[in-house]
Amino acid sequence: MDRPEYQSVGKSVRKKDALQLLLGKPVYTEDITPDALVVKLLRSPHANALVESIDVTRAKKIPGVVDVYTWEDVPDQRFSNAGQTYPETSPYDRLILDRQLRFVGDVVAIVAAETQEAADKALSRIKVTYQVLEPVLDFRTAKDNPVLVHPEDNWHLFGDLGGDNKRNLVSATADADGDVEAVLADCDIVLERAYHTKAYNQAMMETFRTFTQLDRYGRLHVISSTQIVFHVRRILSHALGIPKSRIRVEKPRIGGGFGAKQTAVSEVYPAFVTMKTGRPALCVFTREEAQTCGSPRHEMEIKVRLGANKDGRIRALDVATLSNSGAYGEHGWATSGLTGHKSIPLYTGSLEAFKFTADVVYTNMQPSGAYRGFGATQGQFAVETTVNELAEKLGMDPIELRDKSMLHEGMAMPAYYGEVANSCALDRCAELFDWESKYPVRDMGNGKVRAAGVGMSMQGSGISGIDTGSVTIRLNDDGSYMLAIGAADMGTGCDTILAQMVAEHMDCPVENVSVFGADTDASPYDSGSYASSTTYVTGMAVEKACAQLKERLCSIAADLLDCDPAELAFEEGYVRREATGQEVSLTEIAVKSQCNNRQPAEATAMHSSPVSPPPFMVGMAEIELDRETGVVEVLDFTAVVDCGIPINPALARIQAEGGIVQGIGHTLMEDVTRTPEGRIRESSFFTYRIPTRLDTGHLRVEFENSYEPTGPFGAKSIGEIVINTPAPAITHAIYRATGVWHRELPILPEHILLAKPED
């Protein structure tokens, strides 16, 4: 169908904050906060222990130390750090400080001091006697283990999500359609495979950090690098036992989050100090703390059973996920669900039956949380790699095999809550690849070989029936607009994208739209920037608010023209009276709105969608593998993305390139290992290697547009899907080059050298 030509939407407009960031202006938390008490945290050296005694006398005597707090000083009220819409699907299993310590790095005490030096010295003077307990470090043995990570009686989970702390279960999920066993028994070929992915760290450049103070009304004012200002307000209310009305949370620019800051990792500690002392407080995590006490991706084991006919048609899929939530349950149930619900539907075209189960378990390890892809990344690595193995076993081209089974536009997806794919260009996404020349294995001499692999992906656009976005649009005195949002721009450019939508609806340049947010005192409610929701969900709130604002501007103009508002229309930035040709400028309306006026020159709208239309992507990786060293070089990664209509193609492309780079890092270099005592070894960027531009080869991103009828200007999401295809595509290419399937990530050079082909 023909698409309208837009003035602002679909254009690569420069980001609103581009110059501020490029010029190094003060925009981040530490840049804009005044002097404050330094908050430092004493952390447990043991994976599982009880505090038998703790002596803070010597620490308090150090000059500059204001106070030291232990488990005896905090409320005995459990809460969850998960940034999710209430009632949360994550258990209330935390205290600000607990006598029982559940992982290496769990917080034992809080130090508040005038200087960094005093705080560090105080940490070394705290004397703790621990009763060291046996930990649960293998998540495969955690369920029904006699050692309980959370033995307490005041553990709480909203709803029937299968959680049971007396079984080390955060949650359990089961979903099915059709008779999987009967279909598998009738298939020509059945593959049963198990995959393992590790607890990857988001490794954002700005670590967790929060500033707190009491404002002039005695309310707790929080400035934090967070994706979830409204959820942080609720979390602090529960943890501190004070009303939400006494808490204000705002966020400045965010130096990266990728989901890590969808969990309130740092906020409660300075907030507690401020409430106890009445003084401003600042908590900044070191890189070591961010790496070992943050909120990484869930480690998972995923078992796949796939049944197909000899012609390559996939008839049955059974996905069973075991997820390691670590010491606390943040985002455990939600992430595990995506491993199946975002991988199985890709094969709706031929699937006769599916089964999906997931257990999320507690262990005495660093607690996990949200990370871009949110479970779909792990599930699609497992399912897509199994599909690629099916293609190799049948001697079929993997793209041709997918053509027989993939989802097409208009199909209902039983494994995706029964939603219909109203917009889907998945069948066209592979057409831009130079696949025929890349796919054959090519011996380059000197022990080097080139090969290619492929993977498909889908994600979502917000959480259907839950995520809510709101905006307020106000006409300023000079005829420009102010857009107030509750969503958090964390470098994705949502401030700019939403401003583009306002500019398109209100017939003005993007420069005429200022953006403010996010601040719980001044912004309308928004669930936050996660689940790929902002463009799709909050964008529709923009559309509704602009429609309301046009009506109100016409009503104000009607007083100026002494006519009925029904005679007026908002066109090209003016209000016109069609019958007479009279028109009123926005500046005139703004002036009138301030004198003898009964209609506000602003509008607030809220949107929540009953569906979550998936974006789609196909990714192809070309690698060169050195058989003598096992080193894999990614020469080329080509991605074709269906995100509906890109609102800002340049920002969408940057999102895609960044996600691909992260996916390459997960596949080839980012490794998390632990000592036998449960301590994470990779505690810095010296030991936790993330990809640089030299590691990623040539990246090519193209868009194959569909049009989503429920989205703003036909748009869907793009933020998360882009991380999902590198793992299956590169794994496939490594198999093509070596004849070995690797089912654990990352795939390091030593793994390639030591691996032997299966029989």
Side-chain angles (χ1 to χ4, degrees):
M1 60 181 289
D2 293 334
R3 310 291 186 218
E5 181 64 29
Y6 298 119
Q7 294 180 354
S8 300
V9 167
K11 304 297 190 296
S12 295
V13 176
R14 187 173 68 186
K15 286 176 85 251
K16 285 284 184 181
D17 58 357
L19 289 180
Q20 292 292 101
L21 296 173
L22 287 172
L23 295 174
K25 299 296 184 181
V27 295
Y28 298 106
T29 300
E30 278 190 283
D31 298 334
I32 64 173
T33 53
D35 291 338
L37 293 177
V38 175
V39 175
K40 299 293 287 184
L41 307 174
L42 179 68
R43 297 185 179 277
S44 170
H46 306 293
N48 191 12
L50 281 174
V51 176
E52 287 190 340
S53 65
I54 181 167
D55 185 352
V56 299
T57 306
R58 293 177 63 217
K60 286 185 175 184
K61 290 180 179 178
I62 293 171
V65 172
V66 173
D67 213 337
V68 181
Y69 306 100
T70 72
W71 65 275
E72 295 178 300
D73 301 310
V74 303
D76 185 21
Q77 184 167 310
R78 296 204 177 267
F79 62 96
S80 170
N81 266 344
Q84 296 171 307
T85 300
Y86 181 86
E88 302 97 314
T89 60
S90 298
Y92 278 30
D93 55 10
R94 281 184 178 270
L95 297 175
I96 299 173
L97 296 170
D98 203 335
R99 185 186 177 199
Q100 179 162 356
L101 306 166
R102 295 175 170 85
F103 72 100
V104 176
D106 213 351
V107 181
V108 180
I110 304 171
V111 171
E114 303 287 356
T115 66
Q116 180 85 30
E117 292 75 17
D120 287 337
K121 185 176 288 186
L123 290 178
S124 66
R125 299 288 176 86
I126 299 172
K127 184 178 180 181
V128 186
T129 302
Y130 298 98
Q131 178 187 348
V132 180
L133 306 173
E134 180 185 353
V136 180
L137 297 177
D138 183 353
F139 74 118
R140 297 176 182 86
T141 65
K143 181 178 176 181
D144 294 324
N145 194 296
V147 176
L148 294 181
V149 178
H150 282 274
E152 65 271 13
D153 293 327
N154 59 349
W155 181 95
H156 177 68
L157 178 64
F158 292 99
D160 184 15
L161 301 178
D164 186 345
N165 61 313
K166 299 303 172 68
R167 301 182 63 199
N168 282 338
L169 263 180
V170 176
S171 64
T173 298
D175 191 14
D177 184 68
D179 190 334
V180 166
E181 300 302 331
V183 177
L184 286 173
D186 190 52
C187 288
D188 297 326
I189 183 170
V190 175
L191 298 180
E192 296 189 30
R193 301 291 182 260
Y195 300 86
H196 179 218
T197 62
K198 294 189 177 182
Y200 300 111
N201 199 291
Q202 295 87 349
M204 60 279 175
M205 296 308 295
E206 182 197 31
T207 62
F208 305 97
R209 54 199 61 200
T210 302
F211 168 84
T212 56
Q213 64 182 350
L214 296 180
D215 69 12
R216 58 188 177 275
Y217 302 109
R219 299 168 70 225
L220 178 64
H221 180 199
V222 180
I223 301 175
S224 189
S225 183
T226 179
Q227 302 170 221
I228 47 162
V229 291
F230 286 95
H231 293 331
V232 166
R233 183 177 65 176
R234 184 189 69 248
I235 290 165
L236 291 178
S237 174
H238 288 161
L240 299 171
I242 61 177
K244 290 193 283 290
S245 60
R246 287 187 58 197
I247 304 172
R248 174 191 176 190
V249 181
E250 64 172 311
K251 67 96 195 165
R253 307 317 297 172
I254 301 175
F258 310 115
K261 295 170 184 176
Q262 191 190 337
T263 301
V265 174
S266 61
E267 284 83 354
V268 71
Y269 304 111
F272 179 77
V273 168
T274 291
M275 295 302 294
K276 294 291 283 188
T277 65
R279 297 182 57 181
L282 177 66
C283 180
V284 176
F285 276 37
T286 64
R287 178 59 57 187
E288 180 178 359
E289 287 178 303
Q291 290 289 123
T292 60
C293 310
S295 182
R297 191 183 293 285
H298 288 76
E299 178 187 21
M300 291 186 183
E301 181 179 75
I302 301 174
K303 296 179 179 179
V304 178
R305 291 196 299 165
L306 180 151
N309 282 356
K310 291 179 181 178
D311 63 0
R313 187 166 54 90
I314 298 171
R315 299 176 57 196
L317 275 169
D318 179 2
V319 175
T321 298
L322 179 63
S323 178
N324 182 2
S325 193
Y328 299 97
E330 286 95 2
H331 304 284
W333 177 82
T335 51
S336 67
L338 270 64
T339 60
H341 291 307
K342 297 292 173 65
S343 58
I344 298 170
L346 286 165
Y347 297 96
T348 298
S350 65
L351 209 60
E352 299 171 28
F354 81 86
K355 181 182 177 183
F356 169 52
T357 57
D359 282 344
V360 184
V361 295
Y362 283 117
T363 61
N364 292 114
M365 296 182 181
Q366 176 182 201
S368 296
Y371 190 167
R372 188 182 208 166
F374 204 73
T377 312
Q378 299 98 306
Q380 288 169 11
F381 163 62
V383 171
E384 288 299 288
T385 301
T386 308
V387 171
N388 282 330
E389 184 173 353
L390 173 67
E392 296 293 340
K393 283 187 175 295
L394 294 176
M396 293 183 63
D397 183 292
I399 292 179
E400 292 180 5
L401 182 140
R402 285 175 169 83
D403 283 340
K404 297 175 181 290
S405 300
M406 71 170 58
L407 174 70
H408 286 74
E409 191 166 284
M411 290 182 175
M413 299 171 280
Y416 191 58
Y417 317 107
E419 282 192 24
V420 175
N422 291 317
S423 58
C424 178
L426 188 59
D427 54 333
R428 304 194 300 275
C429 282
E431 294 177 2
L432 296 180
F433 294 162
D434 184 18
W435 182 248
E436 291 184 0
S437 65
K438 301 286 190 183
Y439 185 55
V441 178
R442 289 144 285 153
D443 192 328
M444 309 304 294
N446 297 321
K448 296 183 178 180
V449 60
R450 291 186 180 181
V454 68
M456 289 197 314
S457 178
M458 64 176 279
Q459 198 74 34
S461 299
I463 305 172
S464 58
I466 294 179
D467 280 351
T468 298
S470 304
V471 302
T472 296
I473 305 173
R474 182 177 69 246
L475 180 67
N476 295 325
D477 296 3
D478 60 356
S480 63
Y481 297 96
M482 169 59 73
L483 172 66
I485 65 174
D489 191 330
M490 49 182 172
T492 56
C494 79
D495 287 3
T496 306
I497 290 167
L498 296 174
Q500 286 180 257
M501 294 183 190
V502 172
E504 195 65 52
H505 284 298
M506 304 306 294
D507 294 313
C508 70
V510 177
E511 292 74 21
N512 284 16
V513 183
S514 301
V515 183
F516 171 82
D519 184 328
T520 58
D521 270 13
S523 299
Y525 177 80
D526 195 290
S527 299
S529 295
Y530 59 89
S532 302
S533 64
T534 306
T535 297
Y536 177 75
V537 177
T538 309
M540 286 303 294
V542 167
E543 183 173 303
K544 291 179 177 180
C546 286
Q548 292 178 23
L549 182 58
K550 288 178 182 179
E551 291 181 3
R552 290 176 179 172
L553 297 183
C554 287
S555 181
I556 296 170
D559 283 348
L560 288 169
L561 296 174
D562 193 24
C563 68
D564 192 288
E567 298 179 49
L568 304 178
F570 188 97
E571 296 176 355
E572 299 177 354
Y574 290 84
V575 173
R576 290 194 174 93
R577 188 178 184 185
E578 301 296 336
T580 64
Q582 294 171 288
E583 64 181 27
V584 180
S585 71
L586 293 177
T587 303
E588 292 174 293
I589 295 173
V591 171
K592 171 59 182 170
S593 73
Q594 299 173 351
C595 180
N596 190 26
N597 176 52
R598 296 171 299 281
Q599 188 71 254
E602 66 178 48
T604 297
M606 178 176 282
H607 182 72
S608 184
S609 176
V611 296
S612 176
F616 300 95
M617 175 178 174
V618 178
M620 183 197 74
E622 182 187 17
I623 67 165
E624 182 170 273
L625 185 146
D626 190 327
R627 287 174 169 164
E628 295 181 359
T629 63
V631 171
V632 173
E633 180 182 357
V634 178
L635 302 176
D636 178 87
F637 197 98
T638 302
V640 183
V641 184
D642 164 21
C643 60
I645 303 297
I647 303 298
N648 187 315
L651 294 181
R653 181 167 281 106
I654 291 169
Q655 283 282 288
E657 290 175 353
I660 290 167
V661 170
Q662 286 179 309
I664 291 171
H666 289 183
T667 309
L668 293 177
M669 60 192 69
E670 295 179 45
D671 198 16
V672 177
T673 62
R674 295 179 175 87
T675 66
E677 296 75 32
R679 181 182 297 276
I680 294 175
R681 294 187 177 97
E682 293 74 24
S683 59
S684 73
F685 283 159
F686 289 105
T687 50
Y688 187 80
R689 185 186 166 203
I690 58 175
T692 69
R693 188 64 187 88
L694 299 177
D695 298 306
T696 56
H698 178 256
L699 302 181
R700 178 188 174 199
V701 177
E702 303 291 345
F703 299 101
E704 184 60 55
N705 295 347
S706 62
Y707 186 88
E708 175 49 49
T710 66
F713 301 99
K716 299 185 287 190
S717 76
I718 194 171
E720 293 184 274
I721 188 173
V722 290
I723 199 172
N724 296 335
T725 59
I730 294 171
T731 301
H732 186 200
I734 291 172
Y735 167 79
R736 297 281 295 169
T738 64
V740 176
W741 290 106
H742 292 268
R743 299 191 178 93
E744 181 178 73
L745 298 181
I747 308 170
L748 303 176
E750 54 265 36
H751 300 158
I752 292 172
L753 287 177
L754 295 174
K756 302 196 181 302
E758 299 175 3
D759 295 333

